């Protein structure tokens, strides 16, 4: 194939590293080529964590090399190429001008911004663009739209049940395994005073030459960016991702369900899987993941509550969140139901705070680019919610700092679930709580100078102070929410004097971080 005889230029984005992609269905190695580009823009449109940059770049380069080993032509631009213009659109435009393809093909991107940019390049270049269905997922945006039609509320549980039935997952004779659809009530365990005890650490992956070169590049080029790379050990190939999955199924799935919400000082992994980044880069197929978990249950190697809870995250939550994203974008990103406008505190970028729970969650985020879902929802997300931080600023932080963050999954989780900014689309109530929740689910409070039960005074937990202030500030808008009735009744029991002290202390906290 000559450089000027390309039929299809297949665009492979950094989160689309699956060889079974629809892009390759009719791929002709004699007439087609793959285009991939590393650009500064994808690391700077939000101030991206070094580990997230390194993970994407290393996985992309490994995928490129695998394709080339198969004899597939890959037109690849690296960050340090001298002619790299630094934007996805700009690099794609250069490739089109140089290669003169008859057509562009792409699988639906995971971000509205990227989708728009590529469509504009195709239009400007007068080259046809075919957007293909992303078969990595169980469902499509069109299928979710059909599910959503005529419904007043779009709750996970109903969509999850549809997918369980359709794909025959954890089903026996048309009924849910064990007689229940959801075993969440069994999955709220805490470690107690004894702590988590001994548990197997997740498998780690040593950097090969490709990853080592990427780490050096990221450290040099993005030295001012948040995070560290000295502990980088994420899976960057399909083989490694499958090892990580097997390790989780065999070593930690058994207790994942019971302890999935628990937290413990200096323990970032506990019983979690560490495969979300592999799923979101598409190094792992969700069907493979779900099948492995279900087989563990069928073999008697893991209890139903753990397996169902894990499968609900992959088959249920992941598909539901993507459906929400494409159903409501592009206006979704600008939603701000509670009118929150405060800036994101600087300590979110440094971890330098005297609140031990936040120091733990943010510290490990900066070290690894990782925190599990309760640390995100009920520590970092909770503080931002109670403080009244602009939800778009919170979204940009989550998109920047976590290695598994792609906008289709991160934005609804942050804007909707965590910050209740989408007018109740994702969550039926705000996930607001005082410091007592964190005290119950972790040992963080024992290492903190603040007291979770106190709302006022020098030792008052800022989360507890802000919790009552949040309820008072938003009382009118929350009154019609039945799920908030008990919390608002508790607020009503506080006398005027106590509320005044709480509001004064809350204002001092706001002033401290404004």
């Amino acid at each position: 194939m000559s450089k000027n005889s390309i039929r299809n230029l297949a665009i492979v984005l950094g989160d689309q590293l699956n060889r079974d992609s629809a892009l390759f269905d009719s791929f002709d190695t004699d007439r087609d080529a793959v285009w991939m580009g590393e650009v500064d823009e994808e690391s700077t449109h939000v101030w991206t964590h070094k580990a997230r940059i390194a993970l994407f770049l290393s996985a992309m380069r490994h995928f490129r090399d695998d394709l080339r080993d198969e004899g597939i032509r890959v037109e690849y631009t690296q960050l340090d190429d001298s002619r790299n213009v630094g934007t996805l659109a700009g690099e794609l435009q250069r490739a089109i001008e140089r290669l003169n393809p008859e057509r562009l093909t792409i699988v639906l991107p995971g971000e509205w911004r990227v989708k728009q940019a590529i469509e504009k390049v195709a239009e400007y270049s007068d080259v046809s663009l075919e957007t293909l269905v992303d078969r990595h997922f169980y469902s499509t945006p069109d299928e979710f739209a059909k599910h959503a039609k005529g419904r007043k509320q779009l709750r996970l549980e109903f969509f999850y049940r549809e997918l369980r039935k359709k794909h025959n997952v954890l089903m026996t004779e048309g009924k849910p395994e064990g007689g229940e659809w959801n075993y969440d009530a069994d999955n709220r365990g805490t470690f107690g005073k004894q702590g988590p005890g001994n548990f197997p650490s997740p498998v780690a992956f040593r950097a090969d030459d490709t990853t080592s070169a990427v780490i050096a590049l990221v450290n040099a080029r993005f030295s001012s960016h948040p995070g560290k790379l000295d502990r980088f050990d994420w899976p960057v190939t399909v083989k490694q991702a499958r090892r990580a999955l097997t390790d989780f199924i065999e070593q930690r799935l058994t207790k994942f369900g019971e302890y999935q919400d628990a937290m413990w000082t200096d323990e970032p992994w506990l019983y979690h899987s560490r495969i979300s980044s592999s799923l979101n880069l598409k190094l792992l197929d969700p069907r493979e993941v779900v099948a492995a978990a279900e087989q563990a249950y069928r073999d008697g190697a893991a209890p139903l509550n753990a397996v169902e809870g894990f499968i609900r995250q992959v088959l249920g939550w992941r598909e539901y969140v993507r459906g929400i994203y494409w159903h409501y974008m592009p206006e979704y990103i600008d939603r701000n139901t509670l009118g929150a406008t405060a800036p994101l505190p600087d300590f979110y970028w440094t971890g330098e705070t005297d609140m031990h729970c936040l120091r733990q969650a943010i510290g490990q985020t900066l070290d690894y680019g990782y925190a599990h879902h309760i640390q995100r929802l009920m520590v970092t997300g909770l503080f931002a919610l109670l403080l009244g931080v602009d939800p778009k600023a919170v979204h940009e932080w989550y998109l920047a700092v976590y290695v598994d963050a792609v906008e289709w999954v991160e934005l609804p989780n942050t804007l909707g679930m965590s910050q209740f900014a989408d007018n109740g689309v994702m969550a039926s109530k705000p996930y607001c709580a005082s410091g007592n929740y964190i005290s119950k689910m972790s040992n963080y409070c024992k290492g903190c100078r603040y007291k979770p039960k106190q709302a006022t005074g020098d030792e008052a937990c800022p989360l507890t102070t802000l919790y009552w202030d949040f309820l008072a500030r938003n009382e009118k808008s929350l009154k019609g929410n039945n799920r908030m009735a008990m919390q608002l009744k508790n607020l009503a029991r506080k006398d005027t004097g106590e509320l005044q002290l709480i509001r004064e202390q809350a204002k001092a906290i706001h002033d401290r971080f404004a």
Side-chain angles (χ1 to χ4, degrees):
M1 179 175 65
S2 71
K3 286 191 175 182
N4 295 314
S5 62
I6 291 177
R7 181 187 64 161
N8 294 328
L9 186 61
I11 300 167
V12 173
L13 300 174
D15 62 334
Q16 297 180 339
L17 308 180
N18 51 322
R19 184 60 180 83
D20 59 353
S21 165
L23 282 177
F24 299 105
D25 283 355
S26 57
F27 194 91
D28 187 333
T29 55
D30 292 327
R31 296 187 294 163
D32 301 334
V34 166
W35 178 81
M36 301 177 71
E38 303 173 3
V39 293
D40 284 325
E41 174 189 36
E42 295 308 301
S43 300
T44 59
H45 78 282
V46 293
W47 196 35
T48 304
H49 194 300
K50 292 186 184 77
R52 182 172 181 264
I53 303 171
L55 175 62
F56 273 74
L57 296 187
S58 179
M60 288 172 67
R61 292 185 182 190
H62 281 94
F63 188 70
R64 170 201 65 191
D65 294 345
D66 288 345
L67 292 179
R68 285 176 173 171
D69 287 346
E70 289 186 47
I72 292 175
R73 176 177 172 182
V74 183
E75 296 290 331
Y76 194 97
T77 303
Q78 293 194 172
L79 270 178
D80 48 0
D81 288 348
S82 59
R83 291 173 292 180
N84 192 322
V85 299
T87 67
L88 197 66
E91 280 304 298
L92 179 58
Q93 182 66 46
R94 282 206 314 126
I96 292 170
E97 292 171 356
R98 178 168 53 86
L99 302 169
N100 193 30
E102 296 176 15
R103 182 175 63 168
L104 305 176
T105 58
I106 192 170
V107 165
L108 179 66
E111 185 169 347
W112 185 274
R113 173 186 61 88
V114 172
K115 178 177 179 289
Q116 279 192 313
I118 291 171
E119 288 173 348
K120 287 179 180 178
V121 171
E123 182 179 3
Y124 175 81
S125 304
D126 196 25
V127 180
S128 66
L129 172 66
E130 182 181 11
T131 300
L132 305 171
V133 170
D134 194 339
R135 293 197 306 245
H136 167 85
F137 296 95
Y138 281 92
S139 61
T140 67
D142 286 344
E143 288 169 347
F144 186 85
K146 290 178 182 177
H147 167 84
K149 189 174 182 180
R151 293 178 184 265
K152 292 182 179 179
Q153 294 182 325
L154 300 177
R155 296 291 174 246
L156 162 70
E157 188 66 26
F158 303 109
F159 190 56
Y160 169 56
R161 292 181 186 186
E162 286 182 9
L163 292 177
R164 285 267 299 272
K165 293 174 184 176
K166 180 178 179 180
H167 297 282
N168 195 33
V169 173
L170 281 180
M171 301 291 292
T172 299
E173 297 181 351
K175 295 181 179 180
E177 190 68 32
E180 302 290 339
W181 290 102
N182 185 317
Y183 291 88
D184 197 42
D186 298 326
N187 292 344
R188 297 169 185 164
T190 63
F191 294 123
K193 294 180 180 180
Q194 74 278 5
N198 295 322
F199 57 91
S201 298
V203 62
F205 300 95
R206 186 174 299 175
D208 61 9
D209 290 345
T210 298
T211 301
S212 295
V214 164
I215 288 173
L217 173 65
V218 172
N219 275 328
R221 195 177 189 94
F222 303 104
S223 59
S224 66
H225 279 231
K228 301 173 184 177
L229 283 171
D230 53 343
R231 298 181 180 181
F232 185 91
D233 63 355
W234 293 100
V236 294
T237 66
V238 170
K239 183 178 180 180
Q240 290 178 346
R242 285 176 173 162
R243 274 191 63 201
L245 171 62
T246 300
D247 175 69
F248 168 67
I249 296 294
E250 293 180 350
Q251 301 294 329
R252 297 184 304 287
L253 174 60
T254 298
K255 294 186 178 180
F256 165 79
E258 183 178 0
Y259 296 122
Q260 65 175 294
D261 288 359
M263 301 173 282
W264 201 259
T265 296
D266 296 332
E267 295 291 353
W269 314 121
L270 296 170
Y271 292 99
H272 291 268
S273 68
R274 263 187 38 130
I275 64 168
S276 57
S277 63
S278 296
L279 276 166
N280 292 350
L281 269 63
K282 302 187 178 70
L283 300 176
L284 280 177
D285 189 300
R287 295 161 191 81
E288 179 181 7
V289 173
V290 167
E294 182 169 7
Q295 191 62 49
Y297 167 70
R298 301 291 182 193
D299 292 343
L304 182 57
N305 69 299
V307 171
E308 187 279 319
F310 178 69
I311 286 176
R312 185 162 13 102
Q313 290 190 355
V314 179
L315 174 64
W317 194 254
R318 195 166 178 265
E319 299 288 328
Y320 166 75
V321 166
R322 181 172 181 257
I324 292 289
Y325 181 83
W326 287 112
H327 193 64
Y328 289 102
M329 283 296 281
E331 59 83 22
Y332 188 85
I333 197 170
D334 294 314
R335 292 192 178 192
N336 189 353
T337 298
L338 299 177
T341 58
L344 187 74
D346 291 342
F347 69 73
Y348 274 71
W349 299 106
T350 66
E352 296 172 1
T353 173
D354 59 1
M355 291 172 277
H356 189 238
C357 60
L358 283 156
R359 189 166 66 248
Q360 279 285 311
I362 295 171
Q364 73 172 59
T365 295
L366 296 174
D367 283 345
Y368 303 102
Y370 172 85
H372 73 65
H373 64 281
I374 292 299
Q375 292 174 309
R376 300 189 202 192
L377 178 64
M378 298 305 296
V379 181
T380 54
L382 174 63
F383 187 80
L385 171 69
L386 300 181
L387 190 65
V389 176
D390 182 338
K392 188 175 284 189
V394 184
H395 147 63
E396 289 176 350
W397 183 77
Y398 278 91
L399 185 61
V401 299
Y402 290 115
V403 295
D404 58 6
V406 182
E407 193 175 86
W408 67 264
V409 65
E410 175 277 324
L411 177 62
N413 271 306
T414 303
L415 196 83
M417 187 74 169
S418 173
Q419 300 303 296
F420 198 68
D422 66 356
N423 201 29
V425 169
M426 283 282 292
S428 57
K429 64 180 285 292
Y431 275 82
C432 58
S434 70
N436 289 324
Y437 175 85
I438 293 172
S439 178
K440 174 186 175 184
M441 299 305 299
S442 75
N443 70 335
Y444 290 163
C445 297
K446 290 183 179 179
C448 190
R449 80 171 191 86
Y450 297 112
K451 301 295 186 288
K453 293 184 182 298
Q454 296 183 23
T456 58
D458 291 341
E459 294 186 330
C461 174
L463 284 162
T464 302
T465 305
L466 291 172
Y467 167 73
W468 294 112
D469 182 64
F470 173 85
L471 292 179
R473 286 197 328 265
N474 296 288
E475 184 177 9
K476 288 183 180 179
S477 61
L478 297 176
K479 263 190 174 179
N481 189 319
N482 291 333
R483 293 196 65 200
M484 294 298 298
M486 183 60 69
Q487 288 167 292
L488 293 178
K489 282 183 180 179
N490 291 334
L491 175 69
R493 293 190 180 101
K494 294 193 175 296
D495 61 45
T496 303
E498 184 180 4
L499 272 179
Q500 182 60 31
L501 289 174
I502 288 172
R503 286 175 169 173
E504 289 173 1
Q505 187 139 345
K507 184 180 185 304
I509 296 171
H510 278 269
D511 292 344
R512 178 181 168 191
F513 296 118

